[in-house]
Amino acid sequence: MFNASSAAWRSFLFHPAISAVRVLQFFLAVGIFFYFTLMPADNTTSQYPDKLMHYIGNILLMGSAYVALMGRLRLHFIVVLCCLLSLASELGQSFTATRVTDPADLAMNVLGIATAYFFCRLVDAFLINRTAPRVIP
């Protein structure tokens, strides 16, 4: 449909309506992320290990932030934002009755963000740097 270097792809990706959808999906993703990290522990029966869920959840959080903020923020600022959100979710667990803050969970969160960072760098290298307007530092 679109050539990666075409102006049509850029105008589609950065159209105001598409940009609004990109930002909206990020807010939805943050809400889902905090819901699952702060819901009572007795409601969290899963067939997957807890640490794997932290890892995958943070990959999805970082991916969502990247999609929402590409062309607006540099990638390292998006990483800092996701690390702060992840830290807030872990610290927020100390205020719930059935959840506890676990340093191993925080380590898996950071590992998930780091993994997503490398995926985002690949997208930058192959798609966005060819189509996105440059961010002014």
Side-chain angles (χ1 to χ4, degrees):
M1 182 172 163
F2 292 118
N3 181 349
S5 61
S6 72
W9 176 252
R10 179 183 302 161
S11 65
F12 171 75
L13 193 59
F14 294 98
H15 187 275
I18 300 300
S19 292
V21 169
R22 290 181 10 219
V23 171
L24 180 64
Q25 66 79 29
F26 175 62
F27 285 118
L28 183 63
V30 169
I32 292 169
F33 179 77
F34 275 95
Y35 173 77
F36 279 108
T37 58
L38 298 175
M39 72 181 180
D42 46 336
N43 289 344
T44 58
T45 56
S46 174
Q47 62 184 3
Y48 303 107
D50 176 54
K51 304 303 182 238
L52 180 65
M53 298 305 288
H54 282 270
Y55 177 72
I56 292 172
N58 280 276
I59 288 174
L60 295 174
L61 177 68
M62 174 70 183
S64 177
Y66 175 73
V67 167
L69 300 172
M70 74 171 120
R72 292 189 175 106
L73 285 180
R74 293 182 179 261
L75 188 55
H76 60 277
F77 289 124
I78 297 172
V79 169
V80 170
L81 172 67
C82 289
C83 285
L84 290 173
L85 288 170
S86 181
L87 179 63
S89 73
E90 284 299 320
L91 292 177
Q93 289 178 359
S94 64
F95 297 108
T96 63
T98 60
R99 304 292 295 251
V100 294
T101 300
D102 184 8
D105 289 347
L106 191 56
M108 291 305 291
N109 293 352
V110 171
L111 186 61
I113 290 169
T115 302
Y117 169 80
F118 288 109
F119 284 125
C120 293
R121 290 289 303 217
L122 286 173
V123 171
D124 266 352
F126 292 110
L127 177 66
I128 301 305
N129 281 338
R130 296 181 185 159
T131 62
R134 295 285 178 201
V135 177
I136 307 290

